Amino acid sequence: RHREMYWVSRVTRAVDEGRLELYSQPIMPTRAASPRLPPFCELLVRLRDDDGKLILPGEFIPAAERYNIVGAIDRWVVERAVARLREYLAAGREPPLLAVNLSGNSICERSFLDFVLAQVEDPAIGRSLCFEITETAVITSLEQAVYFMQQVKKSGCRFSLDDFGTGLSSFHYLKTLP
């Protein structure tokens, strides 16, 4: 717990001071894809520590989730993803499909849903986002997850289950998801 509290203050400061960084990792098909498909990338957040060291999310996300500050990180990532997509559209280029990981805490927060809906009002932006939610988060908050997914899908956004198959009743819950 002491280590987690240490991370809470570091993450809060990093968000306030703009020391989060966004990286993208291409998602490649395992077989030949149609040349008409847009590029597909997963966005990954990193934290730049006070001494300039790059910190991977496995170090700070668990504490951020436990102490309910992960919503600030999720908002930051969604804002940056949408800004990147707007740059593509403004330049007349086809935007990539961007996968964005969301915390289970965030999808249960009504203000986060309102925030996302405001960000994806433009259908071209919505069609270019794929929100990744862990299976565990969905199972833990099934009703809120389904509601979040239903509302955001109306804007054209897609969803994927991250870490699928690690839960106890994966296929049973899968049937209830939109």
Side-chain angles (χ1 to χ4, degrees):
R1 296 269 189 243
H2 185 320
R3 181 154 175 76
E4 285 181 340
M5 290 307 294
Y6 170 74
W7 275 113
V8 167
S9 65
R10 288 173 75 184
V11 169
T12 302
R13 249 186 15 261
V15 171
D16 292 344
E17 296 171 2
R19 288 187 288 109
L20 294 179
E21 296 182 14
L22 204 55
Y23 288 76
S24 81
Q25 173 177 295
I27 297 174
M28 306 300 291
T30 56
R31 58 186 160 97
S34 165
R36 295 181 36 181
L37 293 176
F40 187 16
C41 300
E42 180 176 9
L43 297 181
L44 306 165
V45 68
R46 304 288 188 259
L47 183 149
R48 186 69 62 180
D49 206 351
D50 294 330
D51 62 1
K53 181 181 172 193
L54 196 61
I55 309 295
L56 298 177
E59 289 286 322
F60 62 90
I61 293 292
E65 287 180 330
R66 179 181 300 275
Y67 293 98
N68 214 18
I69 59 169
V70 73
I73 296 170
D74 285 348
R75 280 178 172 79
W76 185 89
V77 172
V78 170
E79 283 178 341
R80 296 316 176 281
V82 169
R84 184 177 287 182
L85 293 170
R86 285 187 180 128
E87 289 172 7
Y88 273 89
L89 294 170
R93 296 173 39 213
E94 182 180 13
L97 178 59
L98 299 179
V100 175
N101 290 287
L102 295 180
S103 164
N105 296 4
S106 294
I107 64 171
C108 292
E109 188 183 310
R110 177 58 197 218
S111 65
F112 185 75
L113 171 60
D114 294 339
F115 165 79
V116 170
L117 291 174
Q119 294 290 312
V120 298
E121 284 181 333
D122 179 346
I125 299 292
R127 285 189 306 269
S128 299
L129 287 172
C130 178
F131 291 109
E132 290 188 25
I133 305 172
T134 65
E135 179 189 13
T136 303
V138 169
I139 290 171
T140 303
S141 310
L142 186 62
E143 187 175 320
Q144 292 97 332
V146 168
Y147 183 74
F148 182 90
M149 293 171 79
Q150 289 171 335
Q151 299 308 306
V152 175
K153 279 184 74 169
K154 291 176 186 176
S155 298
C157 296
R158 305 171 200 199
F159 284 87
S160 64
L161 283 179
D162 204 5
D163 299 331
F164 182 74
T166 59
L168 297 176
S169 302
S170 301
F171 290 107
H172 171 74
Y173 287 103
L174 186 61
K175 294 177 188 178
T176 65
L177 298 176

